[in-house]
Amino acid sequence: MSLLLGTTITVSSNHWMMAWTGLESSTLAIIPLISKSHQPRAIEAATKYFLTQAAASTLLLFSSMTNAWFTGQWDITQLTHPTSCLLLTTAVSIKLGLTPFHFWFPEVLQGSSMTTGLLLATLMKFPPTALLILTSPSLNPTLLTTMAIASAALGGWMGLNQTQIRKVLAFSSISHLGWMTIILLYNPKLTLLTFYLYCLMTSAIFLALNTTKITNLATMMTAWTKIPPLTTTLMLALLSLAGLPPLTGFLPKWLIIQELTKQEMTPVATTIALLSLLGLFFYLRLAYCATITLPPNSSNHMKHWQTNKSVHILITTLISLSILLLPLSPMIFTTT
């Protein structure tokens, strides 16, 4: 409840102090969820998360106070002082895990459970994204574009040699944040659309992995015997997250490349499209491990005939949306 309340306060506030209060509430609410298992790795993840988020909140407060000192404005949309804009960009980048402030995110996600990882990758990204959209007219375009391309590049490169699924999904998140940030100044609605579709696809994948108890590539290769239909649709959801047509994940990338071309930023669009090929490689590897490989071992798995029906209905709905939403693109074109 504190998590939802903090998110709601931040998203709906006009005053910097209220936005800061909501962010703090969310941060303090997620820490017990990260450290719930009491394992050393979980405690380490909670400590790293707390320290980075506390630093980001301090910078955000300092940014808003500097702006209020020079302009007399506490309104979020009235952020006009250059130093404040720079500090805010840094603070929100740390909150989101944008390059070069990405270092904490893969470690924290690896130390958390799948359910907490889902919250960290989706719900906890919403308040900082909302603040970024509200302040976008005041931010530096060159800085945002550089950070976005760096995030897309780093998310792709670092994900290539990972064997832990949560770390792969963390670098995938960093890469997607690059796509959201690059279009922020030119079409904020498109940033939100990309964020919503990313949350949809990531939720489907995290819940499917949680159901089949997959944590790394080795367990993924033997998990297809547990629930074969689920691992098959998991493969499609992973390819959707990679942005392959005709799946849902292709839609935001298509719209972003189109918008960047309209803004006469064709070299930037070409660069970020080529960098997404790095991500495509590790998604294809995950998809291959999920459905095609059969390793030569004799470990037996008990088939999961009796499973939680309500969770399965949720996963089915999310995976269906993750795969089949592309035909709705004409309607989305008219709204954006």
Side-chain angles (χ1 to χ4, degrees):
M1 282 186 71
S2 297
L3 200 61
L4 292 171
L5 182 65
T7 304
T8 310
I9 288 171
T10 304
V11 170
S12 58
S13 58
N14 291 319
H15 196 283
W16 275 113
M17 290 303 289
M18 285 302 290
W20 175 79
T21 307
L23 285 171
E24 285 298 291
S25 173
S26 299
T27 303
L28 293 173
I30 196 84
I31 285 170
L33 293 176
I34 298 172
S35 59
K36 187 174 63 174
S37 62
H38 298 295
Q39 293 171 344
R41 189 183 285 274
I43 303 299
E44 182 189 340
T47 310
K48 284 177 179 173
Y49 185 78
F50 174 72
L51 291 174
T52 48
Q53 298 299 306
S57 294
T58 309
L59 277 174
L60 186 129
L61 201 55
F62 185 45
S63 159
S64 55
M65 284 174 67
T66 309
N67 189 66
W69 180 268
F70 283 101
T71 64
Q73 287 287 343
W74 280 100
D75 197 302
I76 292 177
T77 53
Q78 302 297 318
L79 191 78
T80 50
H81 194 261
T83 310
S84 298
C85 293
L86 187 62
L87 283 169
L88 179 88
T89 309
T90 309
V92 174
S93 301
I94 296 172
K95 285 268 178 200
L96 286 171
L98 263 174
T99 307
F101 309 105
H102 62 279
F103 48 86
W104 62 273
F105 189 55
E107 300 297 327
V108 171
L109 212 63
Q110 181 59 30
S112 313
S113 66
M114 280 291 178
T115 320
T116 311
L118 170 59
L119 287 174
L120 284 168
T122 54
L123 187 64
M124 296 303 290
K125 297 282 175 80
F126 190 42
T129 307
L131 288 179
L132 210 55
I133 288 169
L134 285 171
T135 55
S136 58
S138 315
L139 302 179
N140 185 338
T142 313
L143 179 63
L144 282 180
T145 305
T146 309
M147 288 172 77
I149 290 174
S151 294
L154 185 126
W157 279 116
M158 296 293 286
L160 290 177
N161 61 349
Q162 300 296 332
T163 55
Q164 297 292 330
I165 308 287
R166 278 169 291 191
K167 280 200 173 177
V168 170
L169 289 170
F171 287 115
S172 147
S173 177
I174 292 167
S175 178
H176 277 83
L177 282 169
W179 282 87
M180 289 176 221
T181 311
I182 206 160
I183 203 65
L184 179 71
L185 295 177
Y186 311 105
N187 195 338
K189 283 184 183 175
L190 210 44
T191 300
L192 264 185
L193 174 72
T194 310
F195 180 71
Y196 291 149
L197 291 179
Y198 162 74
C199 287
L200 177 76
M201 294 180 286
T202 307
S203 301
I205 289 167
F206 265 106
L207 289 171
L209 293 173
N210 192 40
T211 304
T212 49
K213 299 291 179 283
I214 297 172
T215 53
N216 55 33
L217 288 178
T219 53
M220 198 172 206
M221 287 190 283
T222 55
W224 69 274
T225 53
K226 291 183 182 178
I227 313 174
L230 184 59
T231 45
T232 308
T233 48
L234 175 62
M235 177 195 75
L236 289 172
L238 285 163
L239 294 178
S240 180
L241 198 59
L244 278 184
L247 305 168
T248 304
F250 176 61
L251 176 59
K253 293 187 176 179
W254 175 24
L255 292 177
I256 287 170
I257 289 171
Q258 185 188 27
E259 186 65 33
L260 286 173
T261 313
K262 278 183 192 171
Q263 299 290 339
E264 298 181 356
M265 294 175 71
T266 313
V268 174
T270 309
T271 307
I272 201 162
L274 287 172
L275 288 171
S276 71
L277 292 175
L278 295 167
L280 178 62
F281 175 80
F282 63 73
Y283 289 122
L284 281 173
R285 188 174 63 173
L286 285 179
Y288 177 76
C289 290
T291 52
I292 301 167
T293 52
L294 181 61
N297 61 17
S298 56
S299 58
N300 294 319
H301 288 283
M302 188 170 64
K303 285 198 178 292
H304 286 195
W305 296 115
Q306 299 297 324
T307 50
N308 191 335
K309 288 287 191 333
S310 59
V311 175
H312 270 230
I313 290 166
L314 179 62
I315 295 174
T316 308
T317 310
L318 288 172
I319 287 186
S320 302
L321 291 172
S322 300
I323 295 168
L324 303 169
L325 272 186
L326 191 65
L328 290 181
S329 51
M331 186 180 79
I332 294 168
F333 269 127
T334 56
T335 56
T336 56

